[in-house]
Amino acid sequence: MTSQANPDQQIAILRETIVALVRSDGPDLSARQLAVLLTVYLSEGPHTVRGLAADLNVSKPAITRALDRLGELDLARRKVDPADRRSVLVQRTPKGSTFLRDLRTVMSEAVKGTAEARILPAQGNGEPTPALRAV
């Protein structure tokens, strides 16, 4: 049986996930870059710069800048649409798929950490519980 996290728990999961990403040796993505990456990988394609801009309600130049960085990191790539050479398709990459898999693992650990934080009582010495000390 799964239970829904309340907003405070969701924020804690987000925080733990972001802290883990910051501490990792992986790429340091902005919120916009991460939003573009997640949209490309979690939503049905094909994806275009124009479509991503509309989906995320940001300008096409903002999507282009995010894709420039994702391209540098080989997390996504652009390709001219053979059916309409004016349009640019955004494609997934193996490295981007690996990043997403690793992100899922980090988030799963964050969920476990917040679940442990709810279950474990605070230690009597004022120290945080082991689950919270890692953060």
Side-chain angles (χ1 to χ4, degrees):
M1 178 202 289
T2 58
S3 62
Q4 293 289 347
N6 69 40
D8 289 336
Q9 292 164 336
Q10 291 171 340
I11 291 293
I13 292 166
L14 179 61
R15 180 190 178 280
E16 287 190 39
T17 301
I18 291 171
V19 168
L21 289 174
V22 167
R23 290 178 178 166
S24 76
D25 289 332
D28 190 15
L29 301 179
S30 71
R32 181 171 291 150
Q33 292 161 355
L34 189 56
V36 170
L37 179 92
L38 291 174
T39 301
V40 168
Y41 281 83
L42 300 178
S43 302
E44 289 294 319
H47 298 284
T48 63
V49 172
R50 180 180 297 120
L52 289 168
D55 287 348
L56 298 174
N57 196 27
V58 296
S59 68
K60 289 189 288 185
I63 296 296
T64 297
R65 288 189 300 275
L67 288 172
D68 287 345
R69 178 69 176 142
L70 294 174
E72 289 170 9
L73 297 168
D74 195 30
L75 298 176
R77 76 172 58 99
R78 286 176 277 198
K79 179 182 175 188
V80 173
D81 183 350
D84 180 358
R85 298 195 54 80
R86 298 169 298 166
S87 186
V88 175
L89 298 175
V90 180
Q91 298 179 321
R92 300 169 182 163
T93 66
K95 191 171 179 181
S97 295
T98 299
F99 178 85
L100 184 61
R101 185 194 68 226
D102 293 345
L103 180 61
R104 284 184 173 121
T105 301
V106 168
M107 289 194 78
S108 292
E109 292 301 315
V111 168
K112 288 178 190 174
T114 58
E116 288 175 13
R118 289 193 311 264
I119 295 168
L120 298 174
Q123 296 177 352
N125 61 5
E127 288 291 312
T129 60
L132 294 177
R133 192 178 312 121
V135 176

